[in-house]
C-alpha cells in the first residue's frame, strides 16, 4: 500500500484547519459534529488543534454507496432536537459524491442552528453528484480510493496513522 498523505502532512493540515477555525469561531458557541465512523480520528485531532472552546457530538448515518437512493439515508444516532444556540461545524472524513453530507446538512438545518458549515479532511471534487461544498477542506485529492486516519475499506485500515491509496493488490 502506497502512502499518499504522511502522518506529518496530516498533522500540518489539521493544524492549519484548527488555526483557521479558531479564528473564524472566536466568541461563538462552536459545536463540532462528527459523522461516524469515518470522522473519529480527524475530529479528535482537529478538536485538539483548536485554541477556542468547543463542544463535541456525533451522528451516525447508515452507510450506502453509489446506486442507492438518497431516500435510503437513515440517521442511526441523532443529536438533540434543537441546535439553536450553536454554531455547528459538521466534520467528516471525505466529501465524495456529496450524497451523505447533503442529506446530513438538510437534517441539521431543520434543528435551526445559529450557523452551519462543513469541514472535510479530504475532498474529491471530480466525484461530486450533489452540489455540496465544504467551507473547510484539508486537501483536495483525485479520484482514488483512500484508507487510513479513520477511512476504511470494508471496516479495515481505519487505524493507520497516514492516508494510503488502496490498490488492486489489497483487495
Ligand atoms: P458520499 O455520500 O458519496 O459523499 O460518501 C461519503 C462517504 O463515503 C465518506 O464519508 C466515506 O465514508 C465514504 N468514502 C468515499 N470515498 C472514500 C474513500 O476513498 N475511502 C474510504 N471511504 C470513502
Ligand atoms: Mg463517512
Amino acid at each position: 500500500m502506497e502512502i499518499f498523505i504522511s502522518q506529518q502532512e496530516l498533522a500540518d493540515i489539521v493544524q492549519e484547519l484548527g488555526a483557521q477555525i479558531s479564528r473564524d469561531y472566536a466568541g461563538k458557541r462552536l459545536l463540532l459534529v462528527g459523522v461516524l465512523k469515518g470522522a473519529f480520528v480527524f475530529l479528535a485531532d482537529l478538536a485538539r488543534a483548536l485554541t477556542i472552546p468547543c463542544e463535541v457530538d456525533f451522528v451516525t448515518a447508515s452507510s450506502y454507496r453509489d446506486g442507492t437512493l438518497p431516500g435510503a439515508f437513515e440517521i442511526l444516532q441523532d443529536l438533540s432536537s434543537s441546535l439553536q444556540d450553536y454554531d455547528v461545524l459538521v466534520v467528516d472524513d471525505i466529501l465524495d459524491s456529496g450524497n451523505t453530507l447533503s442529506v446530513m446538512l438538510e437534517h441539521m438545518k431543520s434543528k435551526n442552528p445559529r450557523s452551519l458549515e462543513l469541514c472535510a479532511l479530504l475532498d474529491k471534487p471530480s466525484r461530486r453528484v450533489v452540489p455540496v461544498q465544504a467551507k473547510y477542506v484539508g486537501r483536495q485529492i483525485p479520484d482514488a480510493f483512500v484508507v487510513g486516519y479513520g477511512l476504511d475499506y470494508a471496516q479495515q485500515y481505519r487505524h493507520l496513522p497516514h492516508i494510503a491509496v488502496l490498490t488492486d493488490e489489497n483487495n
Side-chain angles (χ1 to χ4, degrees), residues 148-161:
Y149 202 71
L151 290 136
D152 75 304
Y153 171 71
Q155 301 304 325
Q156 298 297 308
Y157 309 114
R158 291 193 197 276
H159 63 288
L160 297 179

Side-chain angles (χ1 to χ4, degrees), residues 28-154:
K28 299 189 171 174
R29 191 167 181 196
L30 174 60
L31 175 64
L32 300 178
V33 176
V35 182
L36 293 172
K37 301 176 193 171
F40 83 106
V41 178
F42 176 42
L43 188 141
D45 285 346
L46 183 65
R48 288 176 291 177
L50 297 178
T51 56
I52 56 165
C54 73
E55 293 175 50
V56 173
D57 211 336
F58 292 94
V59 286
T60 306
S62 68
S63 53
Y64 68 85
R65 298 293 303 160
D66 298 354
T68 310
L69 297 170
F73 180 91
E74 214 189 334
I75 296 189
L76 301 176
Q77 184 204 301
D78 201 356
L79 303 171
S80 55
S81 55
S82 172
L83 294 174
Q84 64 184 5
D85 296 330
Y86 289 99
D87 292 288
V88 173
L89 183 59
V90 175
V91 178
D92 206 355
D93 51 1
I94 190 166
L95 193 46
D96 191 36
S97 73
N99 278 313
T100 313
L101 283 171
S102 68
V103 178
M104 189 62 87
L105 287 175
E106 281 310 308
H107 177 75
M108 298 277 173
K109 249 185 232 168
S110 71
K111 297 175 186 292
N112 297 310
R114 216 180 274 164
S115 67
L116 181 62
E117 297 291 352
L118 179 60
C119 174
L121 175 66
L122 304 176
D123 184 12
K124 291 189 220 172
S126 66
R127 295 260 307 164
R128 203 75 90 253
V129 173
V130 182
V132 181
Q133 270 196 347
K135 177 162 186 191
Y136 305 97
V137 170
R139 170 89 58 98
Q140 287 198 350
I141 63 168
D143 181 11
F145 198 84
V146 291
V147 295
Y149 202 71
L151 290 136
D152 75 304
Y153 171 71

